[in-house]
Amino acid sequence: MLKNKWFWFSALSLTSILLLSLPVFFPEPATADSLLHQWCDFLGSFHPLILHLPIGFLTLIILLEAWQLISRQAQVPMTIPLQLNAVVAVIASLFGFLWFQTGQWSGESMRNHLWQGLIFSSCAIWLPWIYQTVRSPLPYRACLFGTLVIMTSAAHIGGESVHGDPLAKAPWLVNTPPHVSTPTLTTDPVVYTDIVVPILEQKCYKCHGADKQKGALRLDSIAFMIEGGESDTALIPGDASSSPLVTTIHLPLKDDYHMPPEGKPQVTSQELAVLEWWIDSGAKENTKLSQTQIPSKLESYFASFVTPKKTPNEATQETKQPTISPEVYNQFLTKYPHTLDWTQKGASTLRFSAASIRTNYHDKDLQALSPFSSQLVELDLNGTSISNTAATNILKFPNLEKLTVAATSISDDFIETLQQHKGITTLVLHSTEISDQSVDALASMQQLKKLFLWNTNLSNTSVKKLIKSLPNCHINTGENHTSHNDQLYLGHIDLSLSSRWHNIDRTIEEHFLNPNYQGPHTYTIHTNQELRPWVMLDLGANKKITRINLNNRTDLMERANQIKVSTSIDGTHWKSVYQSTNRITSDWKIKVQQYARYIKIELNKDTPEYLHLKNIQIYVTQENH
């Protein structure tokens, strides 16, 4: 195959240059919702499957080479394995590049993974040529070793991004009690920097930080949170109930959009309460704790961030708090690995999750938690084999705040016993056999704040009764209460244009400012001929924008063939929702599905042009934010 070595030298050089030029010539992801983006997403999703082929081939080649060196047997021909390795390495790196182009994987670590993958494939295609043309085996084996090192590094970064750091599961780390470090104390902590950031750092930054941004979403600054990722903004200051940063935490653990994903450290009830309070308070960056009104339920949590001035009550509680013996803790984890952990850094409270055990966890296993009964505040028994008798043991955890018994065999007898517990504020009962007989018992638990009841035997009448009996409790029955039919926005819109078109006599055509000129509540705009003309529409408040219809003038449609549409919550941080590339059409129907106050439409051209649209129609739901 390599008879003409200089021909192949030129071909391989050109292929290597093309591979390594891909990130240079295509530095930005494909435009969302474009056909190119769809193909990148489709083909790129095969990358995790294909990448195992070059790893397997290279491992086989290394083993054969090692066997030849050790046994000193006649050399096994490597040409075919090396050529197959080169082919699958190039295919895997190309599919990986396409997946990177979707924008789902970004950040410094993923960019390093991309470059190392392309360098690995470049080295792989040179190995057959070096093997056949260089007489001495030393250059070939040196190149083979270098290729192995690059492949190992790329595989480690890729594997860690999907499965986490494997070293974190080492037995000497797993069986060691979590290190309880004291948070940085200050007389007056800054809410965002000293309290909110540590929560996000522990639960979010690994996938949405500076090094890696899944879904193109970064959460390591307020500006990045407002900007959002591929699908929507993550933060709506002043409205926690509509901020995906919080709403995704409330989703069921099995939901694909629940954050953090199943198997990752979850946000505790106190941490969630802090995030909701901070967002509802305006998500300020520099506000100090003394400048806020602290909810009573969070006073004890915030106390751990302030230079201690303990009240007599708190001091008494601390002296009563028993110390957990490392030996007892290790013995428990030996029998029930990956189940018990501290609720947060520096806390003295624990959470238990049977996610790693599931059906192998029974009623009698609850007794093993007795040494931790006073520290246990979260108990997740989802999908386990517990029965109604487990309620008696659960009553022995006096400080329990959150209980999950979804997808178990419990029924009304369990609730009848559990109602005696007056500390549980979050109760997850979905996918169980509870029925209308449990209504009175649940209604007596007035301390409940959140109750999850979908896929049970409760009738609509009983649910309505619970809603009336528990006015301070959010009851989730699995129904979607947020979907509304959209409608044409009829409110006032303030228009700002880069310039307003003047007639020959220099008078402004006033009909371009008339919202009813081309139909009720439509907007016609016309700028002067200029470089990158734009128009900005201010809806006056954040709205859930579902779609935007743009109607082009039909006589000179090519004017708007490179139109770009962006949205913003604050008028500063913009998110692109549509980018047309040389598309000549009379209208665009753009899906948005985002909260925004501002809409910006511009021509993304490098030559002067008019921006003239016959009308703009904005459709929103009835939700205001």
Side-chain angles (χ1 to χ4, degrees), residues 498 528-534 603 605-610:
S498 56
N528 281 325
Q529 188 177 30
E530 58 184 345
L531 189 65
R532 300 182 185 276
W534 56 265
L603 286 185
K605 288 187 175 183
D606 295 325
T607 56
E609 185 58 274
Y610 297 94

Side-chain angles (χ1 to χ4, degrees), residues 72-131:
R72 300 185 181 276
Q73 297 292 325
Q75 188 173 7
V76 178
M78 293 289 191
T79 304
I80 292 178
L82 288 169
Q83 290 171 350
L84 290 174
N85 177 63
V87 172
V88 295
V90 171
I91 294 174
S93 62
L94 287 176
F95 277 52
F97 173 75
L98 292 176
W99 209 16
F100 188 81
Q101 285 298 103
T102 63
Q104 299 177 44
W105 305 93
S106 55
E108 191 63 28
S109 64
M110 295 313 299
R111 188 165 290 278
N112 289 338
H113 176 66
L114 172 66
W115 275 108
Q116 290 178 17
L118 293 172
I119 293 172
F120 163 69
S121 60
S122 298
C123 292
I125 65 176
W126 279 100
L127 281 173
W129 188 87
I130 295 173
Y131 176 76

Side-chain angles (χ1 to χ4, degrees), residues 1-12:
M1 178 181 176
L2 300 177
K3 292 180 180 179
N4 189 337
K5 68 177 182 179
W6 294 115
F7 167 78
W8 286 106
F9 179 85
S10 302
L12 295 175

Side-chain angles (χ1 to χ4, degrees), residues 221-371:
S221 79
I222 295 176
F224 283 136
M225 286 188 261
I226 293 175
E227 181 180 348
E230 281 190 325
S231 57
D232 204 348
T233 181
L235 174 65
I236 301 176
D239 192 351
S241 63
S242 299
S243 296
L245 179 66
V246 166
T247 57
T248 53
I249 299 174
H250 282 296
L251 293 172
L253 186 62
K254 291 291 185 182
D255 194 294
D256 290 341
Y257 293 100
H258 173 84
M259 290 295 158
E262 186 179 15
K264 303 290 185 182
Q266 297 297 305
V267 176
T268 67
S269 57
Q270 280 190 315
E271 290 172 340
L272 179 58
V274 170
L275 293 176
E276 291 175 331
W277 167 76
W278 173 66
I279 295 173
D280 284 333
S281 301
K284 303 291 179 54
E285 186 168 5
N286 299 313
T287 301
K288 294 189 174 183
L289 193 60
S290 63
Q291 299 171 329
T292 65
Q293 186 173 358
I294 303 174
S296 57
K297 64 179 181 180
L298 294 177
E299 287 179 353
S300 59
Y301 179 87
F302 289 145
S304 62
F305 295 89
V306 182
T307 302
K309 287 186 179 180
K310 303 293 183 181
T311 64
N313 236 355
E314 292 170 332
T316 303
Q317 285 183 355
E318 283 191 15
T319 56
K320 288 182 178 180
Q321 195 73 271
T323 303
I324 298 176
S325 164
E327 291 78 11
V328 173
Y329 187 91
N330 286 337
Q331 289 174 6
F332 183 88
L333 285 181
T334 300
K335 186 174 182 180
Y336 304 100
H338 315 295
T339 57
L340 195 63
D341 195 7
W342 302 103
T343 54
Q344 66 185 30
K345 187 177 181 180
S348 60
T349 51
L350 292 166
R351 59 166 168 247
F352 173 87
S353 172
S356 60
I357 306 174
R358 297 293 186 188
T359 54
N360 293 323
Y361 195 84
H362 301 82
D363 295 336
K364 60 182 177 60
D365 294 304
L366 283 169
Q367 298 173 7
L369 284 168
S370 57

Side-chain angles (χ1 to χ4, degrees), residues 30 34-48 95 98-105 230:
S34 66
L35 182 61
L36 177 60
H37 186 279
Q38 294 174 12
W39 276 104
C40 287
D41 193 25
F42 169 67
L43 294 175
S45 61
F46 289 96
H47 173 69
F95 277 52
L98 292 176
W99 209 16
F100 188 81
Q101 285 298 103
T102 63
Q104 299 177 44
W105 305 93
E230 281 190 325

